[in-house]
mmCIF file of all heavy atoms in Angstrom:
data_model
loop_
_atom_site.group_PDB
_atom_site.id
_atom_site.type_symbol
_atom_site.label_atom_id
_atom_site.label_comp_id
_atom_site.label_asym_id
_atom_site.label_seq_id
_atom_site.Cartn_x
_atom_site.Cartn_y
_atom_site.Cartn_z
ATOM 1 N N ALA G 90 0.993 17.120 -1.948
ATOM 2 C CA ALA G 90 0.989 16.190 -3.038
ATOM 3 C C ALA G 90 1.818 14.951 -2.700
ATOM 4 O O ALA G 90 1.407 13.840 -2.905
ATOM 5 C CB ALA G 90 1.525 16.842 -4.368
ATOM 6 N N ARG G 91 2.975 15.197 -2.133
ATOM 7 C CA ARG G 91 3.831 14.072 -1.772
ATOM 8 C C ARG G 91 3.153 13.206 -0.689
ATOM 9 O O ARG G 91 3.114 11.914 -0.739
ATOM 10 C CB ARG G 91 5.149 14.582 -1.242
ATOM 11 C CG ARG G 91 6.229 13.440 -1.108
ATOM 12 C CD ARG G 91 7.536 14.006 -0.644
ATOM 13 N NE ARG G 91 8.230 14.935 -1.546
ATOM 14 C CZ ARG G 91 8.854 14.566 -2.650
ATOM 15 N NH1 ARG G 91 9.116 13.211 -2.944
ATOM 16 N NH2 ARG G 91 9.366 15.446 -3.515
ATOM 17 N N HIS G 92 2.585 13.768 0.320
ATOM 18 C CA HIS G 92 1.853 13.049 1.384
ATOM 19 C C HIS G 92 0.691 12.375 0.789
ATOM 20 O O HIS G 92 0.223 11.229 1.201
ATOM 21 C CB HIS G 92 1.373 14.035 2.494
ATOM 22 C CG HIS G 92 2.429 14.508 3.396
ATOM 23 N ND1 HIS G 92 3.396 15.407 3.054
ATOM 24 C CD2 HIS G 92 2.759 14.168 4.633
ATOM 25 C CE1 HIS G 92 4.242 15.561 4.090
ATOM 26 N NE2 HIS G 92 3.864 14.909 5.025
ATOM 27 N N ASN G 93 -0.070 13.023 -0.128
ATOM 28 C CA ASN G 93 -1.290 12.368 -0.790
ATOM 29 C C ASN G 93 -0.907 11.123 -1.458
ATOM 30 O O ASN G 93 -1.572 10.073 -1.340
ATOM 31 C CB ASN G 93 -1.791 13.389 -1.931
ATOM 32 C CG ASN G 93 -2.965 12.953 -2.542
ATOM 33 O OD1 ASN G 93 -3.886 12.436 -1.945
ATOM 34 N ND2 ASN G 93 -3.046 13.046 -3.959
ATOM 35 N N ARG G 94 0.309 11.017 -2.123
ATOM 36 C CA ARG G 94 0.706 9.823 -2.732
ATOM 37 C C ARG G 94 0.977 8.750 -1.814
ATOM 38 O O ARG G 94 0.743 7.557 -1.897
ATOM 39 C CB ARG G 94 1.836 10.058 -3.694
ATOM 40 C CG ARG G 94 1.437 10.977 -4.859
ATOM 41 C CD ARG G 94 2.530 10.983 -5.966
ATOM 42 N NE ARG G 94 3.738 11.804 -5.619
ATOM 43 C CZ ARG G 94 3.868 13.056 -5.840
ATOM 44 N NH1 ARG G 94 2.868 13.782 -6.334
ATOM 45 N NH2 ARG G 94 4.953 13.731 -5.467
ATOM 46 N N VAL G 95 1.728 9.178 -0.600
ATOM 47 C CA VAL G 95 1.968 8.163 0.387
ATOM 48 C C VAL G 95 0.763 7.556 1.030
ATOM 49 O O VAL G 95 0.728 6.356 1.158
ATOM 50 C CB VAL G 95 2.850 8.879 1.516
ATOM 51 C CG1 VAL G 95 3.106 7.873 2.714
ATOM 52 C CG2 VAL G 95 4.259 9.248 0.943
ATOM 53 N N VAL G 96 -0.216 8.379 1.373
ATOM 54 C CA VAL G 96 -1.465 7.815 1.881
ATOM 55 C C VAL G 96 -2.163 6.919 0.917
ATOM 56 O O VAL G 96 -2.589 5.824 1.267
ATOM 57 C CB VAL G 96 -2.414 9.000 2.299
ATOM 58 C CG1 VAL G 96 -3.777 8.351 2.743
ATOM 59 C CG2 VAL G 96 -1.821 9.806 3.394
ATOM 60 N N MET G 97 -2.168 7.317 -0.360
ATOM 61 C CA MET G 97 -2.754 6.418 -1.330
ATOM 62 C C MET G 97 -2.058 5.117 -1.422
ATOM 63 O O MET G 97 -2.722 3.997 -1.549
ATOM 64 C CB MET G 97 -2.716 7.130 -2.716
ATOM 65 C CG MET G 97 -4.107 7.629 -3.208
ATOM 66 S SD MET G 97 -4.045 8.065 -4.930
ATOM 67 C CE MET G 97 -2.934 9.404 -4.908
ATOM 68 N N MET G 98 -0.823 5.135 -1.420
ATOM 69 C CA MET G 98 -0.001 3.939 -1.605
ATOM 70 C C MET G 98 -0.219 2.967 -0.363
ATOM 71 O O MET G 98 -0.360 1.778 -0.548
ATOM 72 C CB MET G 98 1.474 4.157 -1.712
ATOM 73 C CG MET G 98 2.394 3.036 -1.900
ATOM 74 S SD MET G 98 2.036 2.127 -3.493
ATOM 75 C CE MET G 98 2.870 3.240 -4.654
ATOM 76 N N GLN G 99 -0.336 3.598 0.903
ATOM 77 C CA GLN G 99 -0.695 2.770 2.043
ATOM 78 C C GLN G 99 -2.029 2.092 1.810
ATOM 79 O O GLN G 99 -2.146 0.889 2.167
ATOM 80 C CB GLN G 99 -0.713 3.727 3.268
ATOM 81 C CG GLN G 99 0.642 4.192 3.736
ATOM 82 C CD GLN G 99 0.531 5.246 4.754
ATOM 83 O OE1 GLN G 99 -0.611 5.811 5.059
ATOM 84 N NE2 GLN G 99 1.637 5.671 5.376
ATOM 85 N N ASN G 100 -2.985 2.754 1.313
ATOM 86 C CA ASN G 100 -4.283 2.241 1.112
ATOM 87 C C ASN G 100 -4.402 1.140 -0.007
ATOM 88 O O ASN G 100 -5.224 0.229 0.089
ATOM 89 C CB ASN G 100 -5.400 3.312 0.924
ATOM 90 C CG ASN G 100 -5.566 4.117 2.276
ATOM 91 O OD1 ASN G 100 -5.440 3.542 3.309
ATOM 92 N ND2 ASN G 100 -5.924 5.340 2.116
ATOM 93 N N VAL G 101 -3.632 1.293 -1.009
ATOM 94 C CA VAL G 101 -3.476 0.376 -2.120
ATOM 95 C C VAL G 101 -2.945 -0.892 -1.563
ATOM 96 O O VAL G 101 -3.398 -2.004 -1.808
ATOM 97 C CB VAL G 101 -2.630 0.989 -3.282
ATOM 98 C CG1 VAL G 101 -2.353 -0.215 -4.270
ATOM 99 C CG2 VAL G 101 -3.344 2.064 -4.035
ATOM 100 N N ILE G 102 -1.886 -0.746 -0.855
ATOM 101 C CA ILE G 102 -1.192 -2.010 -0.298
ATOM 102 C C ILE G 102 -2.218 -2.712 0.628
ATOM 103 O O ILE G 102 -2.250 -3.968 0.574
ATOM 104 C CB ILE G 102 0.127 -1.592 0.535
ATOM 105 C CG1 ILE G 102 1.152 -1.039 -0.434
ATOM 106 C CG2 ILE G 102 0.634 -2.768 1.342
ATOM 107 C CD1 ILE G 102 2.270 -0.311 0.189
ATOM 108 N N ALA G 103 -2.842 -1.995 1.523
ATOM 109 C CA ALA G 103 -3.859 -2.630 2.373
ATOM 110 C C ALA G 103 -4.993 -3.292 1.675
ATOM 111 O O ALA G 103 -5.442 -4.377 1.990
ATOM 112 C CB ALA G 103 -4.452 -1.514 3.417
ATOM 113 N N ALA G 104 -5.417 -2.687 0.509
ATOM 114 C CA ALA G 104 -6.513 -3.325 -0.320
ATOM 115 C C ALA G 104 -5.932 -4.577 -0.930
ATOM 116 O O ALA G 104 -6.687 -5.589 -1.029
ATOM 117 C CB ALA G 104 -6.891 -2.257 -1.386
ATOM 118 N N VAL G 105 -4.739 -4.525 -1.479
ATOM 119 C CA VAL G 105 -4.262 -5.795 -2.077
ATOM 120 C C VAL G 105 -4.045 -6.887 -1.105
ATOM 121 O O VAL G 105 -4.333 -8.111 -1.438
ATOM 122 C CB VAL G 105 -2.859 -5.401 -2.741
ATOM 123 C CG1 VAL G 105 -2.180 -6.702 -3.356
ATOM 124 C CG2 VAL G 105 -3.094 -4.471 -3.927
ATOM 125 N N ARG G 106 -3.700 -6.618 0.142
ATOM 126 C CA ARG G 106 -3.575 -7.681 1.154
ATOM 127 C C ARG G 106 -4.891 -8.369 1.438
ATOM 128 O O ARG G 106 -4.897 -9.401 1.970
ATOM 129 C CB ARG G 106 -2.908 -7.022 2.404
ATOM 130 C CG ARG G 106 -1.424 -6.734 2.312
ATOM 131 C CD ARG G 106 -0.779 -6.371 3.662
ATOM 132 N NE ARG G 106 0.684 -6.357 3.397
ATOM 133 C CZ ARG G 106 1.490 -5.374 3.741
ATOM 134 N NH1 ARG G 106 1.047 -4.354 4.202
ATOM 135 N NH2 ARG G 106 2.745 -5.528 3.445
ATOM 136 N N LYS G 107 -5.980 -7.644 1.223
ATOM 137 C CA LYS G 107 -7.284 -8.282 1.415
ATOM 138 C C LYS G 107 -7.640 -9.261 0.289
ATOM 139 O O LYS G 107 -8.444 -10.157 0.465
ATOM 140 C CB LYS G 107 -8.421 -7.212 1.510
ATOM 141 C CG LYS G 107 -8.300 -6.291 2.725
ATOM 142 C CD LYS G 107 -9.423 -5.201 2.651
ATOM 143 C CE LYS G 107 -9.283 -4.355 3.911
ATOM 144 N NZ LYS G 107 -10.314 -3.218 3.798
ATOM 145 N N VAL G 108 -6.957 -9.178 -0.778
ATOM 146 C CA VAL G 108 -7.199 -10.052 -2.015
ATOM 147 C C VAL G 108 -6.230 -11.153 -2.050
ATOM 148 O O VAL G 108 -6.518 -12.317 -2.349
ATOM 149 C CB VAL G 108 -7.187 -9.209 -3.324
ATOM 150 C CG1 VAL G 108 -7.416 -10.125 -4.441
ATOM 151 C CG2 VAL G 108 -8.288 -8.179 -3.274
ATOM 152 N N ILE G 109 -4.967 -10.817 -1.815
ATOM 153 C CA ILE G 109 -3.816 -11.755 -1.828
ATOM 154 C C ILE G 109 -3.467 -12.146 -0.348
ATOM 155 O O ILE G 109 -2.900 -11.317 0.332
ATOM 156 C CB ILE G 109 -2.581 -11.147 -2.567
ATOM 157 C CG1 ILE G 109 -3.001 -10.825 -4.054
ATOM 158 C CG2 ILE G 109 -1.445 -12.187 -2.587
ATOM 159 C CD1 ILE G 109 -1.970 -10.111 -4.864
ATOM 160 N N ALA G 110 -3.678 -13.367 -0.004
ATOM 161 C CA ALA G 110 -3.453 -13.815 1.400
ATOM 162 C C ALA G 110 -1.966 -13.954 1.726
ATOM 163 O O ALA G 110 -1.556 -13.747 2.838
ATOM 164 C CB ALA G 110 -4.184 -15.209 1.623
ATOM 165 N N LYS G 111 -1.130 -14.116 0.613
ATOM 166 C CA LYS G 111 0.273 -14.441 0.922
ATOM 167 C C LYS G 111 0.923 -13.146 1.511
ATOM 168 O O LYS G 111 0.758 -12.061 1.009
ATOM 169 C CB LYS G 111 0.980 -14.754 -0.388
ATOM 170 C CG LYS G 111 2.483 -14.920 -0.325
ATOM 171 C CD LYS G 111 3.148 -15.203 -1.662
ATOM 172 C CE LYS G 111 4.622 -15.394 -1.541
ATOM 173 N NZ LYS G 111 5.333 -15.754 -2.867
ATOM 174 N N PRO G 112 1.668 -13.277 2.609
ATOM 175 C CA PRO G 112 2.332 -12.065 3.196
ATOM 176 C C PRO G 112 3.364 -11.524 2.236
ATOM 177 O O PRO G 112 4.056 -12.303 1.450
ATOM 178 C CB PRO G 112 2.979 -12.680 4.384
ATOM 179 C CG PRO G 112 2.297 -13.935 4.727
ATOM 180 C CD PRO G 112 1.959 -14.446 3.384
ATOM 181 N N PHE G 113 3.412 -10.146 2.082
ATOM 182 C CA PHE G 113 4.424 -9.537 1.235
ATOM 183 C C PHE G 113 4.858 -8.181 1.832
ATOM 184 O O PHE G 113 4.171 -7.571 2.639
ATOM 185 C CB PHE G 113 3.821 -9.391 -0.134
ATOM 186 C CG PHE G 113 2.770 -8.371 -0.315
ATOM 187 C CD1 PHE G 113 2.994 -6.982 -0.588
ATOM 188 C CD2 PHE G 113 1.484 -8.814 -0.231
ATOM 189 C CE1 PHE G 113 1.867 -6.127 -0.704
ATOM 190 C CE2 PHE G 113 0.401 -7.958 -0.352
ATOM 191 C CZ PHE G 113 0.614 -6.583 -0.544
ATOM 192 N N MET G 114 6.051 -7.766 1.438
ATOM 193 C CA MET G 114 6.492 -6.465 1.758
ATOM 194 C C MET G 114 6.376 -5.523 0.492
ATOM 195 O O MET G 114 6.367 -6.095 -0.611
ATOM 196 C CB MET G 114 8.040 -6.479 2.136
ATOM 197 C CG MET G 114 8.242 -7.241 3.458
ATOM 198 S SD MET G 114 9.994 -7.041 4.025
ATOM 199 C CE MET G 114 10.910 -7.838 2.647
ATOM 200 N N ALA G 115 6.260 -4.214 0.678
ATOM 201 C CA ALA G 115 5.988 -3.366 -0.408
ATOM 202 C C ALA G 115 6.858 -2.153 -0.389
ATOM 203 O O ALA G 115 6.588 -1.077 -0.938
ATOM 204 C CB ALA G 115 4.532 -2.871 -0.411
ATOM 205 N N ASP G 116 8.056 -2.353 0.279
ATOM 206 C CA ASP G 116 8.978 -1.178 0.279
ATOM 207 C C ASP G 116 10.414 -1.610 -0.027
ATOM 208 O O ASP G 116 11.474 -1.029 0.465
ATOM 209 C CB ASP G 116 9.032 -0.572 1.768
ATOM 210 C CG ASP G 116 9.322 -1.643 2.856
ATOM 211 O OD1 ASP G 116 9.463 -2.880 2.553
ATOM 212 O OD2 ASP G 116 9.403 -1.259 4.043
#
């Protein structure tokens, strides 16, 4: 479950980066 959330968060961040061009950190 903990790993599941980490993978999901990685993919959410990657998806947002495709929409928002501005570089950002998420940690």
Side-chain angles (χ1 to χ4, degrees):
R91 191 179 295 277
H92 284 74
N93 182 44
R94 292 191 289 271
V95 169
V96 174
M97 251 193 298
M98 185 62 78
Q99 291 171 348
N100 289 329
V101 167
I102 292 166
V105 173
R106 285 193 168 125
K107 291 177 181 177
V108 177
I109 298 175
K111 178 181 177 178
F113 67 89
M114 293 188 297
D116 57 355

